[in-house]
Amino acid sequence: MLRIAIDMDDVLAYSAQKAVNAFIAEHGFGPTMQELQGKHLKDTVPPEYQEKIVSYFYQKGFLRDVDLIEDSQEVVRRLYEKHEVFIVSAAMEMPYSLEDKYFWLEEHFPFIHWKRIVFCGDKSIIDADVLIDDRAYNFDKFAGRPLLFTAHHNLDIQGYERVNNWKEVAGLLL
Amino acid sequence: MLRIAIDMDDVLAYSAQKAVNAFIAEHGFGPTMQELQGKHLKDTVPPEYQEKIVSYFYQKGFLRDVDLIEDSQEVVRRLYEKHEVFIVSAAMEMPYSLEDKYFWLEEHFPFIHWKRIVFCGDKSIIDADVLIDDRAYNFDKFAGRPLLFTAHHNLDIQGYERVNNWKEVAGLLL
């Protein structure tokens, strides 16, 4: 049995995609999903809009109804049965997202006990065997096995074991 | 430099005492501070009121204005300058307390960066050198040095290095 820590934004939930949709709805323009690939979210819009497109994450309610990434529910459920799974989200930068994230997890991953949820800032304090995350900087001080979950902003990052989707996670850990 | 994890309720904040005060204000009776000593909060009231006296912690807003424990601000500030301090609260059982706890910390411990705040359930995932906590069960799977912070409910607990107040913490870690 492994202790597996799993990130939320852009690993379980299409958070960046929701920000793009909100931006387009508000401004009438914005990146296509194809234009998002290979870029950080803020780099998909002109400089004067960069602050705006990342500001959605700080709004209360925004992350409450974000879409699920394909197969995340089913694979996390099976991982939860076999391993010691924790959800570990760097939510603390966005304090108004804390409740949204908790109740989103309760809705979509009702089998996850509250004891297995961690909202933190710096993930260096997390002691786990595996960390599934889309942000490579979370691996800097991580002693376990890092699995870089492919997301639009990390396509060019090298040097980490990569998982492109939840089916690949299942293949490695189930 | 040590990585020091510090609990919140009944370590930084007089949370149980606020519940007692709220209970007395609502019901017209309740334990004195002296009667609280040596007991768990719920055991200070008749059985039919036990659920009630612990229910305050689940109410939004309740933990937003709880009183500080003596010397906690000053000693944590000095620890923060010398060590790698994280605040680690098992807040996840009470999701409506998450924002309250965050903004309470922001008000009373403004020097603590959001990266150093962790709201979790089971603290076994925390990797630190020292854990200052009033709940001995949080030490069960903790590999570092546990410091049992004296609180009303743990007076009879044996077998742990104990700190009775923040001055004693300063004496040990500064």
Side-chain angles (χ1 to χ4, degrees):
Chain A
M1 189 164 82
L2 299 168
R3 180 182 291 165
I4 303 173
I6 302 174
D7 180 39
M8 287 181 73
D9 292 315
D10 296 316
V11 172
L12 297 180
Y14 275 121
S15 307
Q17 192 168 302
K18 190 179 174 200
V20 166
N21 293 341
F23 184 88
I24 293 173
E26 188 173 341
H27 296 279
F29 72 96
T32 62
M33 282 306 124
Q34 201 168 1
E35 287 166 343
L36 184 62
Q37 300 312 307
K39 290 181 184 161
H40 286 277
L41 185 59
K42 68 177 181 54
D43 297 328
T44 63
V45 292
E48 63 269 32
Y49 290 99
Q50 292 186 347
E51 199 176 317
K52 176 68 195 188
I53 201 166
V54 296
S55 72
Y56 294 107
F57 300 115
Y58 297 82
Q59 292 177 8
K60 197 167 181 66
F62 185 78
L63 290 172
R64 178 61 186 85
D65 62 353
V66 65
D67 289 340
L68 283 156
I69 289 186
E70 292 78 9
D71 305 314
S72 60
Q73 279 174 311
E74 173 63 12
V75 176
V76 172
R77 189 184 58 70
R78 289 164 62 203
L79 289 172
Y80 197 87
E81 288 165 2
K82 185 173 177 184
H83 297 289
E84 188 186 18
V85 169
F86 282 78
I87 305 300
V88 178
S89 174
M92 214 55 70
E93 189 178 0
M94 305 161 285
Y96 290 116
S97 78
L98 293 166
E99 277 184 23
D100 290 335
K101 289 191 166 210
Y102 179 91
F103 290 111
W104 185 88
L105 283 171
E106 188 179 67
E107 178 182 352
H108 297 290
F109 298 84
F111 53 87
I112 296 177
H113 195 282
W114 58 260
K115 289 187 176 179
R116 300 291 187 80
I117 302 174
V118 183
F119 294 156
C120 62
D122 183 344
K123 294 188 185 179
S124 65
I125 198 167
I126 299 304
D127 177 19
D129 301 305
V130 178
L131 173 57
I132 304 173
D133 207 302
D134 65 316
R135 303 279 177 184
Y137 58 71
N138 287 320
F139 302 144
D140 286 351
K141 296 177 191 166
F142 182 63
R145 177 184 179 184
L147 291 179
L148 185 65
F149 197 93
T150 296
H152 58 94
H153 60 80
N154 69 23
L155 299 180
D156 298 329
I157 304 240
Q158 305 288 329
Y160 296 98
E161 187 176 8
R162 184 182 283 275
V163 281
N164 290 299
N165 53 59
W166 279 98
K167 283 199 166 66
E168 288 189 13
V169 176
L172 286 175
L173 299 175
L174 286 172
Chain B
M1 189 166 83
L2 299 168
R3 180 182 291 164
I4 303 173
I6 301 174
D7 181 39
M8 287 181 71
D9 292 315
D10 296 317
V11 172
L12 297 180
Y14 275 122
S15 307
Q17 192 168 304
K18 190 178 174 198
V20 166
N21 293 342
F23 184 88
I24 291 172
E26 186 172 344
H27 296 280
F29 72 95
T32 62
M33 282 306 125
Q34 202 168 1
E35 288 167 342
L36 184 62
Q37 300 312 306
K39 290 181 184 164
H40 286 277
L41 185 59
K42 68 176 182 53
D43 297 328
T44 63
V45 291
E48 63 270 32
Y49 291 100
Q50 292 186 348
E51 199 175 317
K52 176 69 196 186
I53 200 165
V54 295
S55 73
Y56 295 107
F57 300 114
Y58 296 83
Q59 290 177 10
K60 197 168 182 65
F62 185 78
L63 289 172
R64 179 61 187 85
D65 62 352
V66 64
D67 288 340
L68 283 156
I69 289 187
E70 291 79 10
D71 305 314
S72 59
Q73 280 173 312
E74 173 62 13
V75 176
V76 172
R77 189 185 57 71
R78 289 164 61 203
L79 288 172
Y80 197 87
E81 288 164 2
K82 186 174 177 184
H83 298 290
E84 188 186 18
V85 168
F86 281 77
I87 305 300
V88 179
S89 173
M92 214 54 70
E93 188 178 2
M94 304 162 286
Y96 289 116
S97 77
L98 293 166
E99 277 184 23
D100 290 336
K101 288 190 167 209
Y102 179 91
F103 290 110
W104 185 88
L105 283 172
E106 188 179 67
E107 179 182 353
H108 298 290
F109 297 84
F111 54 86
I112 296 178
H113 195 281
W114 58 260
K115 289 188 177 180
R116 299 290 187 81
I117 303 174
V118 183
F119 294 156
C120 61
D122 182 344
K123 294 188 186 180
S124 66
I125 198 166
I126 299 302
D127 176 20
D129 301 306
V130 178
L131 172 58
I132 304 174
D133 206 302
D134 65 316
R135 302 279 177 184
Y137 58 71
N138 287 320
F139 302 143
D140 286 351
K141 296 177 191 166
F142 181 63
R145 177 184 179 184
L147 291 179
L148 185 66
F149 197 92
T150 295
H152 58 95
H153 60 81
N154 68 25
L155 299 179
D156 298 330
I157 303 239
Q158 305 288 329
Y160 296 97
E161 188 176 6
R162 183 182 283 273
V163 281
N164 289 300
N165 52 58
W166 278 97
K167 284 199 166 65
E168 288 189 15
V169 176
L172 286 176
L173 300 175
L174 286 171

